[in-house]
Amino acid sequence: MDEYVKSIESQVIPLNVIDTQGSFSNIPFVFFYENVDAADEFMPSVLLQNSFFRTMQEFPVFAGRVKSKGIGNVSIVVDANNINMPDYVEDNSSVHFDSLKAAKYQWSSWPEGVATAGPMTRANSDGDIKLINVHVVRLLRNSGVMIYLSIPHYVLDGEAHMEVMRRWCTVYQLMATNQFDAINELPAYTFDRNVLHQNLPDERKPVDETTYRTFTEYSYLSEWFAWISPEWRGYILSKIVAWQQAEAHLFHVSNASVESLRAALREHAHGIDSISVNELLLSLATKTLAQSQMQSEGRSFDGGVASSGDGKLPVAVIFETRKHLGIERQDYIGNVLIPKIVIQPLDELEAPTTAESLARTMSTFKDTVQNLDAPLIGSHIDMVTSRPSCFTRPITRFSRSKTAMSFVYDIMPDMYKADFGNGRPEW
């Protein structure tokens, strides 16, 4: 750890609106490793911690603090004399790995207190927003290890998050085999937000009207929300989530279920075999959300007319765009997420879910998911860059709607590549 502290140099890493538009939440990943061979030394604590802090030398951004200046101008400020230390804790649990496996890793089966950071990005008891939180949980009788890794969206997106985990695994294995010099030869990362602008084409395409209005329409609430400090913003959002008693749920959708759905849709949706799993799930989740809200209000579908408020459901479909910009092979640590805002009519969504009605919903998303390319991404980045405070506008605009939804439309990084040398995680 001393080497980590000595390696940190003071610097300022300016963030852009692509970073701040997702800055309200943390990204938590949890990995489950089973001690299949009942090894006495399974993922030893000292090696895990030492390799983690050696990995952190490659990511100095995590030693910084989120600072804002003016409205919407946010940076990560790294002070070598006042490091924001990564939060790394380890403890033991009375839960056996077999119990987790038997429960198919349902949250109710987890040990208490696995998540050491909340869902929203907020300051801890010391007043700092930690930029990386790690919790290593050793399961009963050395049966396995859980690793919780949470990083604020301020710093990066899901793909870059997984790159942090992959690098930790690589450093761990090199240290375990005494290949310390090889660590210094690993590719370096870049945190320079100019990477996005440098890879934009000259051509531009117009942003769709709904997305444009969402990011450009002025409101006093959104301006105030952009003006207050990141700590206050996180505190307010955390209180709202707690007040709403929001719950998270995890669903496992098998490949067999997806193929069964395709078969049911075949006669109603042209080219169903070329439609991605994400497109299927986006349409299905949107209808399910609308119908759930209808039921919670004690209403029933009345033959095609939604009886609630404005009769619209706003959906933010969020795309990971590294491949579109040709930077998927650059070791860029940051956010490359672009949202498109779609307004869906509730009368269609609240209709009972059948193959025919689901196919209709899919058709309304077709342009949203297929019309995305580098010129359109360039126009979106131009739009938000010229309005640094606009990162709060989607959340304040969505707050006016009783039902709203965000859907991350990207292929998740392969989390099963997080191998510390004892095999891929079981889950």
Side-chain angles (χ1 to χ4, degrees), residues 200-216:
L200 293 178
D202 294 331
E203 183 186 356
R204 293 292 187 266
K205 280 186 178 179
V207 176
D208 66 273
E209 181 182 356
T210 304
T211 303
Y212 184 83
R213 289 177 56 195
T214 299
F215 279 92
T216 60

Side-chain angles (χ1 to χ4, degrees), residues 27-230:
I27 308 176
F29 286 169
V30 183
F31 304 83
F32 298 78
Y33 297 92
E34 183 178 12
N35 187 359
V36 177
D37 299 325
D40 292 334
E41 287 290 315
F42 180 72
M43 298 176 66
S45 299
V46 172
L47 184 54
L48 263 180
Q49 185 175 29
N50 287 346
S51 61
F52 171 76
F53 279 101
R54 178 60 185 87
T55 303
M56 289 298 95
Q57 294 183 39
E58 312 300 318
F59 297 93
V61 64
F62 295 130
R65 289 176 172 80
V66 181
K67 298 293 184 181
S68 60
K69 183 178 181 181
I71 300 180
N73 297 309
V74 183
S75 298
I76 303 295
V77 178
V78 182
D79 182 353
N81 298 313
N82 186 20
I83 293 173
N84 184 14
M85 287 294 292
D87 186 56
Y88 184 101
V89 296
E90 178 176 330
D91 54 33
N92 299 311
S93 169
S94 59
V95 176
H96 197 281
F97 195 95
D98 288 346
S99 300
L100 296 172
K101 184 184 285 188
K104 297 182 179 179
Y105 307 98
Q106 291 184 37
W107 283 341
S108 59
S109 68
W110 292 15
E112 290 187 10
V114 171
T116 52
M120 311 309 291
T121 302
R122 62 168 297 181
N124 62 10
S125 57
D126 296 330
D128 286 329
I129 294 175
K130 290 295 182 182
L131 298 188
I132 187 165
N133 291 267
V134 176
H135 187 190
V136 177
V137 182
R138 297 202 167 270
L139 300 170
L140 183 65
R141 293 195 290 276
N142 198 29
S143 58
V145 167
M146 293 174 62
I147 295 181
Y148 165 89
L149 179 62
S150 178
I151 303 174
H153 232 317
Y154 271 111
V155 184
L156 44 67
D157 55 20
E159 175 58 37
H161 185 300
M162 193 59 213
E163 181 58 31
V164 175
M165 188 65 175
R166 288 192 292 262
R167 177 57 62 92
W168 182 10
C169 291
T170 299
V171 171
Y172 176 98
Q173 293 192 50
L174 291 173
M175 292 181 70
T177 53
N178 295 316
Q179 299 181 69
F180 296 97
D181 290 341
I183 298 174
N184 298 324
E185 298 173 2
L186 294 172
Y189 297 104
T190 179
F191 308 90
D192 184 0
R193 270 44 186 174
N194 288 323
V195 165
L196 297 187
H197 293 277
Q198 291 166 358
N199 286 274
L200 293 178
D202 294 331
E203 183 186 356
R204 293 292 187 266
K205 280 186 178 179
V207 176
D208 66 273
E209 181 182 356
T210 304
T211 303
Y212 184 83
R213 289 177 56 195
T214 299
F215 279 92
T216 60
E217 284 188 352
Y218 182 92
S219 83
Y220 288 109
L221 176 60
S222 64
E223 290 298 297
W224 174 80
F225 211 45
W227 172 76
I228 62 176
S229 70

Side-chain angles (χ1 to χ4, degrees), residues 86-386:
D87 186 56
Y88 184 101
V89 296
E90 178 176 330
D91 54 33
N92 299 311
S93 169
S94 59
V95 176
H96 197 281
F97 195 95
D98 288 346
S99 300
L100 296 172
K101 184 184 285 188
K104 297 182 179 179
Y105 307 98
Q106 291 184 37
W107 283 341
S108 59
S109 68
W110 292 15
E112 290 187 10
V114 171
T116 52
M120 311 309 291
T121 302
R122 62 168 297 181
N124 62 10
S125 57
D126 296 330
D128 286 329
I129 294 175
K130 290 295 182 182
L131 298 188
I132 187 165
N133 291 267
V134 176
H135 187 190
V136 177
V137 182
R138 297 202 167 270
L139 300 170
L140 183 65
R141 293 195 290 276
N142 198 29
S143 58
V145 167
M146 293 174 62
I147 295 181
Y148 165 89
L149 179 62
S150 178
I151 303 174
H153 232 317
Y154 271 111
V155 184
L156 44 67
D157 55 20
E159 175 58 37
H161 185 300
M162 193 59 213
E163 181 58 31
V164 175
M165 188 65 175
R166 288 192 292 262
R167 177 57 62 92
W168 182 10
C169 291
T170 299
V171 171
Y172 176 98
Q173 293 192 50
L174 291 173
M175 292 181 70
T177 53
N178 295 316
Q179 299 181 69
F180 296 97
D181 290 341
I183 298 174
N184 298 324
E185 298 173 2
L186 294 172
Y189 297 104
T190 179
F191 308 90
D192 184 0
R193 270 44 186 174
N194 288 323
V195 165
L196 297 187
H197 293 277
Q198 291 166 358
N199 286 274
L200 293 178
D202 294 331
E203 183 186 356
R204 293 292 187 266
K205 280 186 178 179
V207 176
D208 66 273
E209 181 182 356
T210 304
T211 303
Y212 184 83
R213 289 177 56 195
T214 299
F215 279 92
T216 60
E217 284 188 352
Y218 182 92
S219 83
Y220 288 109
L221 176 60
S222 64
E223 290 298 297
W224 174 80
F225 211 45
W227 172 76
I228 62 176
S229 70
E231 291 80 7
W232 266 108
R233 204 158 39 240
Y235 175 81
I236 292 169
L237 287 172
S238 295
K239 288 297 183 182
I240 292 173
V241 170
W243 173 70
Q244 291 179 333
Q245 297 181 327
E247 294 183 5
H249 299 275
L250 178 66
F251 300 92
H252 176 255
V253 182
S254 67
N255 288 330
S257 297
V258 172
E259 292 312 309
S260 177
L261 182 58
R262 285 189 194 279
L265 288 167
R266 186 155 282 115
E267 67 176 278
H268 301 285
H270 177 71
I272 185 64
D273 292 322
S274 63
I275 291 175
S276 70
V277 173
N278 269 330
E279 195 168 346
L280 291 170
L281 293 179
L282 169 61
S283 304
L284 188 61
T286 307
K287 282 186 67 67
T288 302
L289 174 62
Q291 293 167 21
S292 299
Q293 182 67 34
M294 178 179 67
Q295 291 182 11
S296 72
E297 295 173 357
R299 298 186 291 107
S300 60
F301 183 70
D302 59 359
V305 179
S307 57
S308 64
D310 57 8
K312 302 289 184 181
L313 192 156
V315 182
V317 188
I318 303 168
F319 298 89
E320 200 278 331
T321 61
R322 279 175 173 78
K323 288 186 178 180
H324 298 84
L325 298 178
I327 61 172
E328 68 271 27
R329 288 183 173 82
Q330 294 188 31
D331 292 313
Y332 174 64
I333 301 300
N335 286 282
V336 197
L337 300 179
I338 300 295
K340 295 178 74 174
I341 314 299
V342 186
I343 304 296
Q344 292 283 27
L346 275 176
D347 56 350
E348 179 61 53
L349 298 176
E350 291 181 351
T353 301
T354 63
E356 186 176 0
S357 69
L358 184 58
R360 289 197 301 268
T361 298
M362 286 172 53
S363 68
T364 64
F365 279 117
K366 184 175 181 179
D367 183 63
T368 301
V369 302
Q370 294 183 2
N371 182 26
L372 181 72
D373 55 19
L376 181 60
I377 294 167
S379 294
H380 182 93
I381 291 177
D382 291 345
M383 173 182 69
V384 298
T385 300
S386 63

Side-chain angles (χ1 to χ4, degrees), residues 385-402:
T385 300
S386 63
R387 300 171 176 85
S389 67
C390 73
F391 71 98
T392 59
R393 292 176 186 173
I395 195 169
T396 55
R397 184 180 177 91
F398 273 32
S399 66
R400 305 173 202 166
S401 176
K402 185 180 298 184

